[in-house]
Amino acid sequence: MRIAIIGAGIVGVATAYELAADGHEMTVFERRGSVAAEASFANAGINGPGYVTPWSATGRTFDGLGLARLRAAFDITTLGWIHKLRHAGNAQRGATNRARLQRLALFSRERLHELTRSLRLDYERSEGCLVLLRGKRDLAALRSGLDVLRELGVAFDELDAEGCLRVEPGLSPATPLHGGIYLAGDEVGNCRQLAWLMREQAQHLGARFRFHTTVRALHPGATPGVTHEQLGADETTRFGGPGDAASREGLATQPMALGPVTDAFDAVVVCAALGSPLLLAPHGLQLPLAAVHGYSITAPLRHIEEHIDFGPRSAVIDDRYKVTISRLGKRVRVAGGAQVGGNPERHDPRAIATLHKVLNDWYPGATHIRQAQQWKGARPMLPDGPPVIGPCGIAGVWLNLGHGANGFALACGSARVLADQIAGRAPAIDVEGLDVSRLRG
């Protein structure tokens, strides 16, 4: 089949690889100048089911604790989305959606490991995730989530403060610590590096990537069409950074005709994140997708011969502030935040200050903080948590979107599920509740 994919974040790239591996002729349209140029660019990179959960079920969005507070631009759309988030947050719905997410995350981690081994993917990654609990109330808030992990067979250890220091000896003993939850099977990785490697693998299988190209419209049918237009590089580099520069240095988009062009395919897969609703709404599908902005700072790790454990070994999550501190090679990334709507170009100084606070609480002096790079990205989030994968009721159009803050953890599994669905095969996992029908109920 000739298949078009719209969007080249980590989900779109993984989908392109899986479909190309199944023998399909792939074309990927991306408005930026490289893969992983937006939400996949500098995220926390947590991969694993242990900390994949719907925000509506955690209390994180309304508990008023630093970055855990949901800060919103209160327009009608945002208020409607927050109402749906609250509606999805009761105990039964929260538990159901948590199980759906964690089932997909388990499969996705397994699929990523298979691809890492078979394709010899070499990207920055480390194993283990330690959730830090500053007080007893933090542990109490996690109890229901731990019960779900037990039901799913996900291994974890409950540690006291001394146990946390054995796992992460670089933690500052000056910051009060009640204990922690250690998830040895979870891991952290460089999402953007992985996306670049997956793109290369997809290209080896014949996939074509059209960068600096915006899809203007979908044309459903037995042979669905895509109207697309190539834009000048200066029009698509709002985010700038090494991704766009690299695409101009030899991995640039292939030549395209000037002006809008419509091409026909056998199927179209929409992975366009926040650009998806504009493409789908004209065909009667209204997705409650919101931009929940997150922040990160990334700084070089200090190297001190006398202190080989300076800084984190892998991933550390401060559960009270919902901030992740990740080790990525010789760098440390601190990520968090929950800001619905607003100006994507405007950085909230309070959010950045909280990232610095959490880093300084646990790893004071561990980084060359004056060399830190700041980033803000929009997570494409559905109010109840899980993504939507599969056919959507629009002829010839498939969806793989709405992964929110879990794109890295869910990408490989979601891509494999969709490829099996397109091929008419039963996916390897139960996909109940991962299709668009749940949003119409």
Side-chain angles (χ1 to χ4, degrees):
M1 295 172 62
R2 294 182 66 245
I3 301 178
I5 292 180
I6 306 171
I10 184 60
V11 174
V13 174
T15 303
Y17 170 77
E18 294 288 4
L19 288 169
D22 278 1
H24 300 292
E25 183 181 337
M26 302 304 306
T27 301
V28 183
F29 298 99
E30 168 56 46
R31 61 178 180 161
R32 303 296 174 196
S34 73
V35 301
E38 295 192 18
S40 303
F41 187 82
N43 54 28
I46 297 294
N47 178 30
Y51 212 70
V52 171
T53 190
W55 282 23
S56 59
T58 64
R60 76 164 65 197
T61 51
F62 299 104
D63 62 9
L65 296 169
L67 277 187
R69 185 189 298 117
L70 188 70
R71 301 192 180 103
F74 288 105
D75 56 26
I76 296 299
T77 301
T78 299
L79 288 173
W81 187 86
I82 291 176
H83 175 74
K84 289 183 174 69
L85 183 77
R86 289 183 181 276
H87 180 72
N90 71 35
Q92 182 177 354
R93 294 190 190 95
T96 297
N97 286 318
R98 190 199 307 266
R100 290 165 174 165
L101 272 171
Q102 291 173 337
R103 184 167 62 243
L104 179 59
L106 281 166
F107 174 61
S108 189
R109 184 180 63 184
E110 178 184 331
R111 183 58 181 162
L112 174 59
H113 289 173
E114 290 175 358
L115 295 174
T116 299
R117 289 191 297 269
S118 63
L119 302 177
R120 299 182 181 180
L121 303 178
D122 184 14
Y123 61 99
E124 294 171 336
R125 60 180 296 271
S126 54
E127 296 181 348
C129 178
L130 177 62
V131 182
L132 299 176
L133 307 172
R134 292 180 180 246
K136 291 182 179 180
R137 65 173 179 168
D138 301 307
L139 177 59
L142 282 181
R143 282 299 179 194
S144 62
L146 296 180
D147 290 342
V148 174
L149 293 184
R150 290 189 185 95
E151 292 173 6
L152 292 172
V154 177
F156 63 88
D157 295 309
E158 295 189 45
L159 305 177
D160 59 15
E162 291 184 1
C164 291
L165 287 169
R166 286 192 293 271
V167 172
E168 286 285 349
L171 287 169
S172 172
T175 300
L177 176 61
H178 174 73
I181 307 298
Y182 183 57
L183 298 139
D186 283 12
E187 59 192 48
V188 64
N190 190 319
C191 180
R192 181 169 173 269
Q193 278 188 353
L194 177 64
W196 275 67
L197 293 172
M198 294 289 286
R199 171 202 170 173
E200 291 176 355
Q201 294 296 327
Q203 286 180 308
H204 288 325
L205 296 173
R208 294 173 294 178
F209 285 77
R210 304 292 195 185
F211 294 112
H212 301 298
T213 302
T214 293
V215 172
R216 301 295 189 191
L218 299 177
H219 308 283
T223 54
V226 171
T227 297
H228 53 89
E229 183 177 8
Q230 185 176 10
L231 303 177
D234 57 337
E235 297 180 69
T236 60
T237 55
R238 178 169 58 86
F239 285 78
D244 287 317
S247 76
R248 294 192 295 268
E249 291 172 0
L251 292 176
T253 186
Q254 299 180 26
M256 297 284 286
L258 297 177
V261 175
T262 299
D263 288 328
F265 296 90
D266 298 306
V268 175
V269 181
V270 180
C271 304
L274 295 169
S276 303
L278 288 176
L279 296 173
L280 299 170
H283 307 289
L285 180 57
Q286 302 286 342
L287 287 182
L289 200 65
V292 180
H293 292 97
Y295 294 82
S296 72
I297 54 175
T298 306
L301 183 68
R302 289 185 186 274
H303 178 71
I304 301 177
E305 292 289 346
E306 295 81 9
H307 299 281
I308 59 174
D309 288 315
F310 213 36
R313 286 180 170 177
S314 185
V316 172
I317 299 175
D318 187 315
D319 190 67
R320 181 171 297 183
Y321 289 91
K322 303 299 186 288
V323 169
T324 301
I325 305 173
S326 306
R327 175 72 172 266
L328 297 175
K330 297 181 179 180
R331 298 174 300 152
V332 173
R333 176 166 295 160
V334 190
Q339 185 180 47
V340 177
N343 186 341
E345 302 296 329
R346 184 175 300 161
H347 287 212
D348 186 340
R350 297 170 297 176
I352 299 299
T354 303
L355 298 183
H356 283 281
K357 168 190 165 45
V358 173
L359 176 62
N360 190 61
D361 280 353
W362 299 116
Y363 298 101
T367 65
H368 296 281
I369 200 63
R370 292 186 178 181
Q371 300 177 34
Q373 295 178 325
Q374 294 183 9
W375 173 81
K376 178 181 179 181
R379 309 176 183 104
M381 192 171 293
L382 293 162
D384 59 354
V388 287
I389 308 170
C392 64
I394 303 173
V397 177
W398 301 71
L399 304 182
N400 194 0
L401 52 85
H403 297 75
N406 303 312
F408 182 65
L410 302 177
C412 291
S414 299
R416 188 63 255 164
V417 165
L418 184 73
D420 287 338
Q421 290 176 327
I422 289 177
R425 297 187 295 263
I429 62 169
D430 180 6
V431 295
E432 181 277 327
L434 297 180
D435 65 325
V436 74
S437 65
R438 80 169 194 275
L439 301 175
R440 290 172 169 151

